[in-house]
Amino acid sequence: MIEVKNLSKQYDNEGVITPVLNGLSFVIKSGEFVSIMGPSGSGKSTLMHILGFLDHLSSGEYLFEGGDVSRLSDDSLANMRSLKVGFIFQQFNLLPKTSVLQNVILPLMYVPMPDADRLAKAKQAIEAVGLGHRLEYRSNQLSGGEKQRVAIARALVNNPSVIFADEPTGNLDSKSGAQIMKILYDLNDKAGHTIILVTHETYTAEHAKRILRIRDGEIVSDEAVASERRQMAVSGQLK
């Protein structure tokens, strides 16, 4: 699904060049659950933004589903975002005075389809995260864990090729965080969704099947997670 070849990213601030990513190469297959792990400032969020069509790379190649997206225009990247990916962020990014149903249905407003189909898809996604009883609640009436479930439903509603989760448990207590990670685990393990998770926590990262560790803009390791470690993470034994 994703192939990255010698990807680099740097920022130019009035002639001052700041390198962030340095020659990264890796492949992510359809159906994988991959954690991108590293300390603050390692470049992991920048990498996710590039993979999720939120930013441009500076050099190298990025192939998505076999097509080279390295040099796409901003408009083309926006189109890829709306059709191909779903995002889950640490800050939830929900509309605060809008119902759960309206928040989840929002991505479908840009897709041509009958209103009845939009409604059915949104309800199905909300049911998938266990919030069918909260359809008409406003997002500011929900707990942090419930808000993140709404964000997951919103990410799922378009049936994206890949779901990106950027520190999805960062604003949650440990119990709510564990529930969110169990949902992501099941979305991959039972439903087959491709998930790319950005985190700095080992316990969170080990819900994935594979961990890419980044330091100072470079990949320092790329290792599979043993199935027993994943099970221990899901059961809470790695906290």
Side-chain angles (χ1 to χ4, degrees):
M1 175 176 287
I2 288 173
E3 184 174 4
V4 168
K5 300 178 181 179
N6 201 32
L7 182 152
S8 294
K9 177 67 179 181
Q10 59 188 29
Y11 292 102
D12 185 345
N13 184 14
E14 297 181 351
V16 178
I17 305 299
T18 303
V20 181
L21 299 172
N22 307 303
L24 277 59
S25 297
F26 57 88
V27 172
I28 296 175
K29 297 178 181 179
S30 179
E32 281 201 275
F33 186 168
V34 178
S35 287
I36 299 173
M37 190 178 178
S40 179
S42 61
K44 61 185 185 297
S45 289
T46 298
L47 175 59
M48 191 204 76
H49 290 165
I50 292 172
L51 297 180
F53 312 115
L54 292 167
D55 199 359
H56 293 274
L57 53 78
S58 298
S59 62
E61 289 184 86
Y62 173 22
L63 306 179
F64 185 86
E65 295 182 337
D68 189 352
V69 297
S70 306
R71 306 291 178 259
L72 290 182
S73 66
D74 288 340
D75 287 345
S76 296
L77 287 179
N79 188 55
M80 292 288 287
R81 281 197 304 274
S82 66
L83 296 176
K84 294 294 185 178
V85 301
F87 290 100
I88 305 163
F89 295 104
Q90 180 177 342
Q91 302 294 339
F92 316 131
N93 292 348
L94 302 179
L95 300 176
K97 296 182 180 181
T98 304
S99 73
V100 168
L101 182 59
Q102 289 170 319
N103 268 284
V104 173
I105 209 170
L106 186 62
L108 297 175
M109 301 309 294
Y110 305 99
V111 181
M113 68 173 63
D115 289 344
D117 289 352
R118 289 193 183 94
L119 185 62
K121 283 178 174 289
K123 287 183 176 180
Q124 182 180 20
I126 294 167
E127 290 285 353
V129 298
L131 285 181
H133 60 300
R134 293 282 196 262
L135 283 178
E136 300 304 328
Y137 276 58
R138 295 192 303 274
S139 60
N140 58 3
Q141 295 176 302
L142 304 176
S143 68
E146 288 173 331
K147 289 178 181 178
Q148 196 60 291
R149 290 192 195 194
V150 176
I152 293 173
R154 185 184 56 193
L156 284 171
V157 74
N158 256 348
N159 192 28
S161 297
V162 58
I163 297 170
F164 291 94
D166 191 358
E167 301 281 8
T169 64
N171 277 339
L172 304 177
D173 60 73
S174 58
K175 181 179 179 181
S176 297
Q179 291 171 343
I180 292 304
M181 290 311 303
K182 178 62 164 59
I183 290 172
L184 293 178
Y185 176 93
D186 286 343
L187 285 173
N188 172 255
D189 206 52
K190 296 179 180 179
H193 289 282
T194 305
I195 298 175
I196 299 176
L197 168 74
V198 169
T199 184
H200 66 277
E201 299 173 335
T202 299
Y203 150 72
T204 302
E206 289 192 338
H207 284 74
K209 295 176 180 176
R210 174 181 164 203
I211 299 176
L212 284 173
R213 286 185 170 85
I214 296 180
R215 180 175 290 115
D216 298 328
E218 298 181 354
I219 295 175
V220 296
S221 66
D222 181 354
E223 299 175 342
V225 180
S227 58
E228 58 268 24
R229 294 288 295 178
R230 293 190 79 208
Q231 292 296 329
M232 289 173 67
V234 173
S235 65
Q237 297 179 53
L238 296 183
K239 291 182 181 180

